[in-house]
Amino acid sequence: MLKIVNHPVLKRDLTILRDKNTPHGIFRKLLADASAILAYEALSHVTLAEYPVETPLETTTGYRFAQEIIIVPILRAGLGMVDGFVRFVPEARIGHVGVYRDEVTHHPVEYYLNLPDHLPQADVFIVDPMLATGGSAIWAIHMLKEKGAKKVHLVSLVAAPEGVQAVEAAHPDVEIIVATLDRVLNENKYILPGLGDAGDRIFGT
Ligand code: PRP
Ligand code: URA
């Protein structure tokens, strides 16, 4: 299921992120801000558990997240989205999935995996600003499910229709949350209009 988040602040920030003249320091800051808006939406269906809380005057019903929240950035670019999530969930555990796209085949190449033990009981949010062919995300979701994850969400800033279709076909149970569904992939599998190479733009490489 695809959810496109519509918010004026997100649209304004995405415009600046798309702009090729935006320097990496501003890019990094705006990606963190945009990720917070996406996180706010992505967390909207998290299950709550009730517990009694004492105000200075009386006891009332309080709420906490019923399940652990785990955030999994796809390295490198996904790191730029973690801060936006931990603003709302400072106690979240963070796993890391290392995968890059081969420049010729465009297929994902795995190089790192480090995940918390608590996947089966958790709400898991994979974060990666770009969903292009979907190869990286499909591999990440597969690894998480293999380690027992049951509730997986994929949060991206910019998605291509090809990537959304590929993820939906491979993992129909995974909710996909994005800021925009762009037009198409070019011959090098970059998203058009997109914002270029997200990792390079975040880290100034
Ligand atoms: C980018 C991006 C995604 C992937 C998307 O990473 O951050 O992980 O490409 O493409 P896909 O949907 O076709 O798999 P990249 O391979 O450039 O690595 P980096 O984050 O280390 O720069
Ligand atoms: N990865 C990126 O960083 N950008 C794209 O447009 C596609 C894949």
Side-chain angles (χ1 to χ4, degrees), residues 164-178:
V164 171
Q165 277 165 24
V167 173
E168 284 180 339
H171 299 288
D173 56 308
V174 171
E175 184 191 25
I176 306 172
I177 297 131
V178 301

